[in-house]
Amino acid sequence: MLLRMTALILTLTVAACGGEQTAATAGAAATSQEVYKWSMVTTWPKNLPGMGIAPETIAKKVKEMSNGRLVIKVYGAGEVVGPMEVFDAVSLGTVQMGHGAAYYWKGKDPATQFFTAVPFGLTAQEMNGWLLHGGGLELWRELYAQYDLVPFPAGNTGVQMAGWFNKEINSLDDMKGLKMRIPGLGGEVFERLGGTAVSMAGGDIYTSMQTGVIDATEWVGPYNDLAFGLHQVAKYYYYPGWQEPGPNLELIVNKDAWDTLPDDLKAIVENAALAVNADLLAEYTARNNAALRELVDEHGVQLRRLPDDVLKELQVISEELTAKAIDRDSDLARRIYESFKQYQKDVVAYHEISERAYINAR
Ligand code: CA
């Protein structure tokens, strides 16, 4: 709008001076009115509450803020490409945008996992601090530049649940032999315990549990797990989500497509992603407890806490495997690991006397 008014004033000024509109002015005005029609693919089932709606919300905000100059059509998992093909589709420029989670791409580079969640790592609040003010986003951009991608933080679920089981977990031995859907570094920890970790998209979990392809699963938390009906295929619901304490979701944009956008549209995309990043966490925070009550009170779900000794052992293994997860020969991977660990050390020290002290006192 501002640009349009500036262009108009310029035109009027030129007209008032009796001169002709220069070619350069005409070109700038034409560029600013260009309409971009983009596509966004996602790893989420279409219309899944929360994260499945987040990409639609980004598209809606971008359209409104750009006055219709950037229109994004959103496709759910499997509509254009499969959920696990989002990274490649955007990287290759098949589509301009994608929404998902970086740890799904650990096969491309294990360091991607640091930009979703590390077991016993950062909470949502802490993750946002690292990404937006602790150097995390710059490192993420450097990593994704190798794939012609520009990433943005675009949602967080807060602390997840440890998952759904059909037997009680009283010791690490109880996880032995289980086949569980658990992506990222959490999956590697689970494998160390003698289980089999499967990384599958959310939309395949219910049927896989129902048909016995997997014995256990983690997904998100009550709000999303209730929507999937996971209480129909498992009895015990364990907390806390040690494997994903504050998973960051991503908006990825193809670098060549990004470079075609004028600066105001770039700012609009960035700010729409930031708005959704904050809003999604607020939505999960507001909705999780009602969903948990429904699971427990109406569906008879057995809510269980993982025993302290199990959590302690999981933490020891997690730290060992997180350190091993990065490619030691890669200078970038080392810098990502060191930045994350140093930031975590600092933020945990302060949160001991702020967040934890307050929650314990409340
Ligand atoms: Ca999860």
Side-chain angles (χ1 to χ4, degrees):
M1 194 64 199
L2 195 63
L3 269 177
R4 226 193 280 174
M5 281 181 63
T6 312
L8 184 66
I9 290 165
L10 261 174
T11 312
L12 290 174
T13 310
V14 172
C17 297
E20 286 182 358
Q21 189 178 9
T22 65
T25 313
T31 302
S32 73
Q33 292 315 307
E34 191 173 329
V35 173
Y36 296 80
K37 293 203 168 166
W38 280 14
S39 298
M40 175 168 14
V41 292
T42 74
T43 58
W44 323 117
K46 187 90 174 166
N47 296 327
L48 175 75
M51 60 176 69
I53 304 287
E56 310 273 359
T57 310
I58 293 172
K60 185 166 174 281
K61 284 182 189 297
V62 167
K63 189 178 173 189
E64 284 170 359
M65 288 194 274
S66 70
N67 199 19
R69 286 169 48 226
L70 177 51
V71 183
I72 303 159
K73 184 155 172 52
V74 178
Y75 296 92
E79 288 189 317
V80 174
V81 297
M84 294 305 170
E85 292 159 3
V86 167
F87 186 95
D88 282 341
V90 184
S91 174
L92 297 171
T94 312
V95 291
Q96 294 86 0
M97 287 178 146
H99 193 270
Y103 66 1
Y104 289 139
W105 326 125
K106 73 174 189 180
K108 302 277 178 199
D109 192 320
T112 57
Q113 299 173 108
F114 287 86
F115 302 100
T116 305
V118 167
F120 294 92
L122 305 174
T123 64
Q125 182 183 346
E126 293 164 353
M127 189 68 176
N128 280 320
W130 181 56
L131 290 173
L132 300 172
H133 294 277
L137 184 57
E138 288 78 7
L139 290 165
W140 193 11
R141 295 241 160 108
E142 194 178 333
L143 179 68
Y144 272 30
Q146 300 168 23
Y147 304 93
D148 287 328
L149 294 171
V150 185
F152 302 86
N156 199 306
T157 65
V159 180
Q160 297 201 346
M161 292 288 282
W164 296 87
F165 297 85
N166 272 311
K167 64 181 212 180
E168 289 192 75
I169 304 296
N170 296 313
S171 73
L172 288 184
D173 275 350
D174 291 325
M175 298 201 197
K176 225 171 243 170
L178 289 183
K179 198 166 176 186
M180 181 171 181
R181 184 270 180 191
I182 174 169
L185 282 161
E188 287 172 37
V189 175
F190 189 72
E191 296 243 306
R192 169 67 73 85
L193 304 177
T196 304
V198 180
S199 179
M200 67 169 69
D204 297 327
I205 295 175
Y206 183 91
T207 312
S208 300
M209 281 293 283
Q210 203 180 28
T211 55
V213 170
I214 50 175
D215 311 302
T217 185
E218 68 86 62
W219 172 223
V220 181
Y223 182 42
N224 279 148
D225 295 6
L226 174 66
F228 268 2
L230 295 180
H231 55 282
Q232 295 161 9
V233 290
K235 184 176 173 189
Y236 298 102
Y237 197 20
Y238 272 91
Y239 69 94
W242 58 275
Q243 79 288 7
E244 291 189 51
N248 169 62
L249 307 182
E250 66 180 12
L251 173 71
I252 48 177
V253 182
N254 175 272
K255 177 74 167 59
D256 296 333
W258 178 249
D259 289 341
T260 66
L261 289 184
D263 287 347
D264 63 332
L265 290 185
K266 283 182 178 167
I268 284 169
V269 169
E270 180 148 32
N271 282 286
L274 279 174
V276 166
N277 189 49
D279 188 62
L280 197 67
L281 181 61
E283 184 181 351
Y284 281 89
T285 305
R287 301 268 184 269
N288 268 328
N289 196 55
L292 180 66
R293 289 323 330 155
E294 191 177 332
L295 286 169
V296 172
D297 299 342
E298 292 175 32
H299 301 297
V301 165
Q302 299 292 305
L303 184 65
R304 296 278 193 280
R305 185 180 187 278
L306 285 173
D308 280 334
D309 56 336
V310 168
L311 284 169
K312 203 75 232 158
E313 291 171 273
L314 285 171
Q315 181 167 16
V316 171
I317 299 169
S318 294
E319 280 177 13
E320 183 197 328
L321 294 187
T322 302
K324 275 192 185 157
I326 59 149
D327 176 3
R328 288 277 152 190
D329 295 332
S330 159
D331 165 65
L332 176 56
R334 241 182 326 100
R335 281 187 286 125
I336 291 169
Y337 175 78
E338 278 160 17
S339 169
F340 189 97
K341 291 304 273 188
Q342 184 59 48
Y343 172 86
Q344 177 163 340
K345 189 165 165 270
D346 289 345
V347 82
V348 166
Y350 183 68
H351 277 176
E352 281 300 315
I353 60 116
S354 55
E355 303 297 319
R356 192 199 298 277
Y358 170 68
I359 285 174
N360 287 347
R362 181 163 63 185

